Amino acid sequence: MADYNLPDDWAQALGPELEKPYFQRLKQFVADERAKHEVFPPPEDVFQAFELVPYNEVRVVILGQDPYHDNGQAHGLCFSVRPGIKVPPSLVNMYKELEADLGHPRPNHGYLVDWAKQGILMINAVLTVRAHKANSHKGKGWEKFTDAVIRTLSADPRPIVFVLWGGYAKKKIKLIDTEQNAVLLGTHPSPLSARNGFFGSKPFSKINELLEEQGHRDGAIDWRLNDI
């Protein structure tokens, strides 16, 4: 199934995770959902975050919760939408803070692939959703899989910056070796909470400072996004 073709390096790093009974049940659940309903993202994009960032090149992990559930939005990266799709409110707030933090103007799109190509793994805790029904695939097994991803990356000898925005993401700190890795905790950029701590938090410059402290050979992230 196209949904489950993890790149070889990720499949090797995660070991037998895809063969465990819970994942077999998850595969069947998603297949049944696709047979009866529209499901986002399309099968070829479910693992796009992993395709764009090789396992050994992960420098930053940004964790979301649930894929966008309206037409044409979700393509496998949390917070990101396809070119030509209206920028969602949380990402609008991220762009506002990016401009305030580093002076980068807001682009005319919400396509964050250029961030991924610099080693930023942007994954949701749940990787699929039924169209127009938020959290409809919650509790079906994806969380176990993405928890395994976080634990595996955390245990790798390379230090990584984990970005946990909002209460849901912050709970994942228990999966992370905070002695070896850096964790940036913050308020979620959604309109419901951004004014309660996200605005003014300067997360983008802080991520670069943490990467510098960790001594990553590729240096800082270039957060600028050109118009398309």
Side-chain angles (χ1 to χ4, degrees):
M1 289 183 181
D3 300 50
Y4 310 106
N5 292 337
L6 262 183
D8 289 344
D9 57 339
W10 280 100
Q12 185 173 353
L14 292 167
E17 202 67 29
L18 302 188
E19 304 306 320
K20 290 183 178 179
Y22 86 83
F23 201 86
Q24 300 307 308
R25 292 192 296 270
L26 172 63
K27 284 169 62 173
Q28 189 59 54
F29 167 76
V30 177
D32 291 346
E33 281 283 286
R34 289 198 189 279
K36 300 172 186 173
H37 309 281
E38 189 171 17
V39 171
F40 299 136
E44 65 272 15
D45 286 342
V46 170
F47 284 148
Q48 191 183 65
F50 303 95
E51 293 165 6
L52 288 169
V53 188
Y55 178 78
N56 287 322
E57 294 179 17
V58 177
R59 295 195 284 158
V60 178
V61 176
I62 297 178
L63 185 68
Q65 186 169 351
D66 196 53
Y68 295 123
H69 55 83
D70 283 335
N71 296 76
Q73 292 181 307
H75 67 101
L77 305 185
C78 68
F79 295 109
S80 180
V81 292
R82 299 175 187 280
I85 299 295
K86 183 180 179 181
V87 180
S90 289
L91 185 52
V92 169
N93 287 338
M94 288 167 64
Y95 285 167
K96 288 178 181 177
E97 181 60 19
L98 178 61
E99 189 169 21
D101 185 0
L102 294 174
H104 299 328
R106 290 176 238 173
N108 64 354
H109 62 88
Y111 195 54
L112 304 182
V113 166
D114 281 350
W115 289 357
K117 289 179 178 177
Q118 296 180 73
I120 303 179
L121 183 72
M122 291 173 278
I123 57 168
N124 287 301
V126 176
L127 299 187
T128 56
V129 67
R130 188 189 297 181
H132 318 302
K133 194 172 180 182
N135 293 309
S136 48
H137 289 186
K138 178 181 178 182
K140 302 299 183 182
W142 280 126
E143 295 93 336
K144 290 183 180 180
F145 172 74
T146 51
D147 281 359
V149 172
I150 295 168
R151 277 195 302 267
T152 301
L153 287 168
S154 169
D156 194 273
R158 300 165 299 130
I160 290 172
V161 178
F162 289 87
V163 181
L164 307 180
W165 284 329
Y168 181 87
K170 288 176 183 177
K171 293 177 184 175
K172 303 295 183 179
I173 195 170
K174 66 181 183 292
L175 306 172
I176 299 167
D177 180 349
T178 55
E179 295 292 319
Q180 176 172 294
N181 303 284
V183 178
L184 185 63
L185 300 171
T187 304
H188 196 279
S190 78
L192 296 174
S193 56
R195 297 192 182 281
N196 296 321
F198 181 77
F199 291 139
S201 64
K202 300 185 181 298
F204 305 100
S205 58
K206 284 180 180 175
I207 290 168
N208 281 346
E209 288 168 10
L210 291 168
L211 288 172
E212 187 176 342
E213 289 173 12
Q214 291 177 338
H216 281 275
R217 65 181 185 275
D218 295 325
I221 302 293
D222 181 358
W223 295 101
R224 288 172 295 184
L225 293 166
N226 294 322
D227 286 347
I228 54 176

